[in-house]
């Protein structure tokens, strides 16, 4: 895998995770607003800036992912999605202040070990 392909792949994974975190934050805001002010959750979500931004970032990540697939074999690219799980656990814990159990961290660590194993097997 070339360095530009790796950078594109990592951009796709990181932007996907960022989009998910933005969507989660936006949906929390939309749900809270719908509970307090009334109205449809769907309408509140569609007009919440964090939801709109999250969808836009997620769309950009999808384009980056398609570009990645044009350059990198799926057997190499797809395991990198596992890195997104770790990023989301980290961000949900630090940015969204969600509680994460030791089991969640242990599972995330195992996913990363699997990713490293796949990557090492491809380069060896």
């Amino acid at each position: 895998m070339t360095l530009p392909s790796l950078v594109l792949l990592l951009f796709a994974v990181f932007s996907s995770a960022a989009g998910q975190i933005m969507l989660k934050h936006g949906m929390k805001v939309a749900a809270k607003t719908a509970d307090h002010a009334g109205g449809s959750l769907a309408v509140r979500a569609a007009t919440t800036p964090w939801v709109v931004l999250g969808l836009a970032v997620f769309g950009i990540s999808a384009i980056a992912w398609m570009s990645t697939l044009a350059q990198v074999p799926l057997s190499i690219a797809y395991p990198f999605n596992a890195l997104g799980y770790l990023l989301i656990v980290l961000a949900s814990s630090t940015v969204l202040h969600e509680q994460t159990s030791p089991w969640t961290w242990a599972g995330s660590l195992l996913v990363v070990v699997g990713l490293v194993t796949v990557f090492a097997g491809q380069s060896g």
Side-chain angles (χ1 to χ4, degrees):
M1 179 176 353
T2 65
L3 182 60
S5 295
L6 178 61
V7 169
L8 182 61
L9 175 55
L10 290 174
F11 175 78
V13 171
F14 275 76
S15 59
S16 176
Q20 292 294 336
I21 294 299
M22 290 175 198
L23 283 172
K24 172 63 177 177
H25 176 67
M27 288 308 297
K28 283 174 51 177
V29 170
K32 191 174 186 178
T33 304
D35 284 346
H36 286 66
S40 165
L41 177 58
V43 171
R44 296 289 181 186
T47 57
T48 300
W50 281 107
V51 172
V52 175
L53 181 60
L55 287 172
V57 170
F58 196 67
I60 291 167
S61 77
I63 293 168
W65 180 249
M66 291 185 293
S67 298
T68 298
L69 292 179
Q71 300 174 25
V72 178
L74 186 61
S75 63
I76 296 171
Y78 199 75
F80 271 85
N81 279 326
L83 183 58
Y85 299 133
L86 178 63
L87 295 171
I88 288 173
V89 170
L90 285 168
S92 66
S93 175
T94 59
V95 176
L96 300 175
H97 307 290
E98 296 180 350
Q99 290 210 311
T100 50
S101 73
W103 289 107
T104 301
W105 289 110
S108 298
L109 179 63
L110 287 174
V111 167
V112 171
V113 168
L115 174 62
V116 170
T117 302
V118 168
F119 191 67
Q122 295 297 325
S123 60

